[in-house]
Amino acid sequence: MSTWNGLIDSGYRRWLPVTPGTPSVSLNEGNTPLLRSAHLSALTGCEVWLKVEGANPTGSFKDRGMTVAISRAAQAGAELAVCASTGNTSASAAAYAARAGLTAAVLVPRGRVALAKLGQAVRYGARVVEIDGTFDDCLRVARELADHHPIALVNSVGNELRLAGQRTVAYEIVDALGDAPDIHCLPVGNGGNITATWGGYRVYQQEGLSTRSPRMWGFQAAGAAPLVHGAPVAEPETAASAIRIGSPATWDGALDARDRSGGLIAAVTDAQIFEAYELVARRDGVFAEPASAAGIAGLLDQHARGNLPPGQRIVITLSGNGLKDQDASLRGGYTATETSAATSDVAHALGLAA
């Protein structure tokens, strides 16, 4: 039985910007589940698959790029890895830095990061700096620090190492399905994931490992949709905190993926996102964080608008684990029935016959 040893050592090294001397700083990321959604397939008349990126070691797709970025930082002798983050990047950077024996510093917007994600960064030993401002302010500071100090900036902006690692999601999908899907749906925040995923499909097609590339359908939250509006949003607002970004760092790459694939980038409301968030949990048994559900919400919205002909093969990236944002899970409250410890009382509460 073969053992999976992470993206660098288990099959994708040739596609990654590493050398024979690059150490593999890995938590066995990648090789995430690709699940067929019977419910979404029935709703849309298509063949819908879910790529569950929340199964990565720190609970999000960010681990794909971080294994490459931190491996190369370790090879270069870096001592400090810095990132700006709405949560998932900080958790991933902190974990991989810890694995490599490096120090991580994470810059986060104060009060605008899910506590579970912040808790991950803290537990991995990161130096947390909370900035009075937005994610965009955090990224600006991180880039300025990198310009003037000998640190490793591990955000995906302009970072071929991160993007190359994130392309592997497309390789895994093609390897599993035998070819690329017709459409790939995913949430869009900073723009790196749609850019990298499209790039991965293009690599496989150019190498003759697939016959086509999919149309890329990206979805932003309506209150944080700069790519839809064509201009930055100064004060982005959405309860889907992972995509609460007003000025995507990989703006051009995201639009290029949309345009070259013949795809789209559209907006969905928070109400639609949370409806999809509940749907995928209750009908498919997948607990994804709210931002992850933007791809599902967008697919259902396009179907409702008559823009989705039946019979197509579709993959949706679920970018992060629902445990990342437990407050979101309980924000509407929940119903519990209280009973005594008597079996008969519990049976009554469950509507079972006496």
Side-chain angles (χ1 to χ4, degrees):
M1 181 178 70
S2 61
T3 301
W4 179 261
N5 293 310
L7 294 174
I8 294 176
D9 287 341
S10 287
Y12 295 116
R13 178 179 279 269
R14 64 176 293 205
W15 308 114
L16 298 172
V18 296
T19 69
T22 303
S24 175
V25 180
S26 176
L27 291 165
N28 287 8
E29 63 291 320
N31 195 30
T32 56
L34 183 65
L35 305 177
R36 185 179 183 277
S37 171
H39 184 65
L40 291 173
S41 296
L43 280 179
T44 61
C46 295
E47 179 187 328
V48 181
W49 296 81
L50 306 173
K51 186 61 168 167
V52 187
E53 289 292 272
N56 276 300
T58 75
S60 86
F61 76 97
K62 303 287 187 176
D63 294 347
R64 291 183 180 274
M66 204 59 70
T67 182
V68 181
I70 296 295
S71 292
R72 285 289 299 273
Q75 183 181 21
E79 296 182 357
L80 179 65
V82 177
C83 72
S85 179
T86 55
N88 283 328
T89 299
S90 66
S92 186
Y96 281 81
R99 185 77 169 170
L102 309 180
T103 299
V106 301
L107 314 184
V108 300
R110 179 178 294 172
R112 299 171 73 85
V113 173
L115 286 179
K117 299 175 187 179
L118 189 60
Q120 283 184 283
V122 168
R123 192 52 46 220
Y124 295 134
R127 299 171 64 180
V128 178
V129 180
E130 294 185 323
I131 290 177
D132 288 325
T134 66
F135 165 81
D136 304 299
D137 294 314
C138 295
L139 182 58
R140 172 183 53 79
V141 172
R143 296 173 79 169
E144 290 172 357
L145 288 173
D147 287 340
H148 297 96
H149 301 278
I151 62 175
L153 178 62
V154 295
N155 280 98
S156 60
V157 54
N159 190 329
E160 172 58 23
L161 305 178
R162 285 278 309 279
L163 294 176
Q166 288 172 205
R167 289 185 196 120
T168 59
V169 72
Y171 309 157
E172 290 183 11
I173 290 166
V174 174
D175 289 344
L177 296 180
D179 207 343
D182 298 300
I183 297 171
H184 189 119
C185 300
L186 72 173
V188 175
N190 216 23
N193 204 18
I194 189 172
T195 301
T197 304
W198 166 246
Y201 283 122
R202 294 294 296 151
V203 167
Y204 255 38
Q205 185 177 20
Q206 291 163 2
E207 294 293 327
L209 297 173
S210 64
T211 66
R212 63 191 180 196
S213 294
R215 297 188 298 283
M216 301 300 297
W217 283 12
F219 299 97
Q220 298 193 289
L227 296 176
V228 178
H229 301 310
V233 177
E235 295 291 337
E237 286 297 335
T238 173
S241 61
I243 54 174
R244 190 191 292 136
I245 295 172
S247 183
T250 316
W251 187 299
D252 291 342
L255 295 185
D256 184 66
R258 177 197 67 185
D259 297 342
R260 292 182 61 197
S261 73
L264 57 84
I265 296 179
V268 286
T269 66
D270 275 18
Q272 289 175 302
I273 289 172
F274 276 86
E275 182 178 349
Y277 164 73
E278 294 179 3
L279 179 74
V280 72
R282 295 182 180 183
R283 302 307 295 261
D284 285 298
V286 178
F287 189 24
E289 69 172 309
S292 291
I296 296 173
L299 177 68
L300 295 176
D301 184 63
Q302 291 300 309
H303 176 257
R305 294 173 185 271
N307 297 332
L308 183 66
Q312 301 187 77
R313 175 179 281 180
I314 300 166
V315 172
I316 305 173
T317 296
L318 298 179
S319 50
N321 195 296
L323 293 173
K324 293 278 193 172
D325 193 348
Q326 296 180 55
D327 288 342
S329 179
L330 298 176
R331 73 174 195 158
Y334 67 97
T335 301
T337 302
E338 296 183 1
T339 79
S340 74
T343 301
S344 59
D345 287 344
V346 176
H348 178 74
L350 294 175
L352 301 175

